[in-house]
Amino acid sequence: EHLVVNSLRQRPDRILVGEVRRQREAETLFEAIHTGHSCYATFHANNSVEAVDRLTNPPISVPKSMLPAISLVIVQFRNRRTGKRRTFQIAEIMPDATVNMLMQYDAKNDKLKPVNKSKVLMKTLELYTGHNVKELNKILKIKQSILNYMVKNNIDQVDSVGRIMAEYYTNYDNLIKHVRANKILRWLNINFIYKKLQQWIPSLKQKLIQADIIDTPELFIKKTVMSSFILSFGFCVFFI
């Protein structure tokens, strides 16, 4: 509760509550949601229906009337035989606190497939964005193309993903131009070179040490200390 209050003082765009295990964390989650900010939390359940059951029954006991404040439930799972992690379900919460399944994972074909059309989410987006369904679908397709671009170009590090998101909101035309041409943004090229240098320099350093061209760290420290001592001693003699 205190963390939510402190986070609000920092004027956040989004609030991450983290793991919800007990009633106290659930209360914090819904308090954060009702501040009007975008909120995210993690919760253990096998599927979306079970998530609703767990939230609304002891020991968590969230009132069903509060549950529609949650927009989407996204269920992730890991196939223990293959080690692959997949999105298992995407569902929306209806006004009566029931679940409307939007997408379901097909394990046989390894695909996430549409099941039902949205009854609540799209109307909410229309209300708060001013876009109609056709415009929203167009925006979703553009975002899908950006995600595909990121996958193709191995953009999967926290900093790089964050930069892509920032570019979308601050320099949209430039990002879309690069996505459509499948060209790497300049700052991503710099990051790529930097990472390669990080990988290359230690191996080069080891080869130079083996060839006796540069010193080992231990020898370098000894030489530095001796040089400092000699210089200090020389200054002392000079002033004397």
Side-chain angles (χ1 to χ4, degrees), residues 29-236:
L29 169 63
F30 282 90
E31 183 182 349
I33 289 172
H34 288 121
T35 62
H37 293 76
S38 295
C39 294
Y40 304 88
T42 57
F43 185 74
H44 286 286
N46 291 319
N47 52 60
S48 53
V49 173
E50 187 179 307
V52 170
D53 288 340
R54 284 201 60 210
L55 279 169
T56 55
N57 288 290
I60 299 177
S61 301
V62 174
K64 285 192 174 183
S65 60
M66 293 179 65
L67 221 59
I70 297 174
S71 300
L72 279 179
V73 176
I74 300 175
V75 182
Q76 302 282 331
F77 94 114
R78 181 170 64 87
N79 188 321
R80 298 188 184 279
R81 290 185 295 104
T82 62
K84 292 179 180 178
R85 190 176 290 275
R86 294 289 185 266
T87 297
F88 185 67
Q89 289 178 343
I90 300 176
E92 61 183 2
I93 305 295
M94 302 298 289
D96 61 354
T98 57
V99 168
N100 178 34
M101 191 74 62
L102 301 178
M103 303 192 82
Q104 173 68 58
Y105 175 66
D106 178 0
K108 186 175 182 180
N109 297 303
D110 193 28
K111 287 185 178 179
L112 188 64
K113 294 184 175 181
V115 179
N116 296 304
K117 289 187 177 180
S118 170
K119 297 177 182 178
V120 176
L121 182 64
M122 295 304 279
K123 288 181 180 178
T124 303
L125 290 173
E126 283 184 82
L127 177 64
Y128 286 100
T129 64
H131 296 298
N132 57 38
V133 174
K134 186 178 179 180
E135 290 169 334
L136 288 170
N137 285 327
K138 184 180 178 181
I139 292 168
L140 288 173
K141 283 183 180 178
I142 291 170
K143 290 184 176 182
Q144 183 181 352
S145 68
I146 293 170
L147 290 172
N148 289 332
Y149 164 81
M150 292 167 69
V151 171
K152 284 180 186 176
N153 294 285
N154 298 316
I155 302 170
D156 55 5
Q157 300 298 309
V158 173
D159 290 340
S160 300
V161 172
R163 290 291 296 273
I164 289 287
M165 291 178 68
E167 194 83 7
Y168 178 84
Y169 290 107
T170 60
N171 200 359
Y172 176 83
D173 291 338
N174 183 56
L175 175 62
I176 296 302
K177 182 178 73 175
H178 282 78
V179 168
R180 286 174 178 163
N182 196 32
K183 290 183 178 179
I184 299 293
L185 291 158
R186 188 176 66 177
W187 53 262
L188 280 176
N189 275 326
I190 293 169
N191 285 348
F192 176 78
I193 294 167
Y194 176 68
K195 285 178 187 176
K196 286 295 180 185
L197 284 172
Q198 283 183 315
Q199 295 169 1
W200 178 66
I201 288 173
S203 60
L204 175 64
K205 183 179 177 182
Q206 192 60 38
K207 288 177 182 177
L208 291 173
I209 290 171
Q210 290 171 356
D212 201 24
I213 296 173
I214 63 171
D215 298 325
T216 62
E218 294 80 6
L219 189 57
F220 175 78
I221 291 169
K222 286 180 182 178
K223 285 184 176 181
T224 303
V225 171
M226 287 299 296
S227 299
S228 300
F229 175 75
I230 291 167
L231 283 171
S232 301
F233 181 75
F235 279 123
C236 288

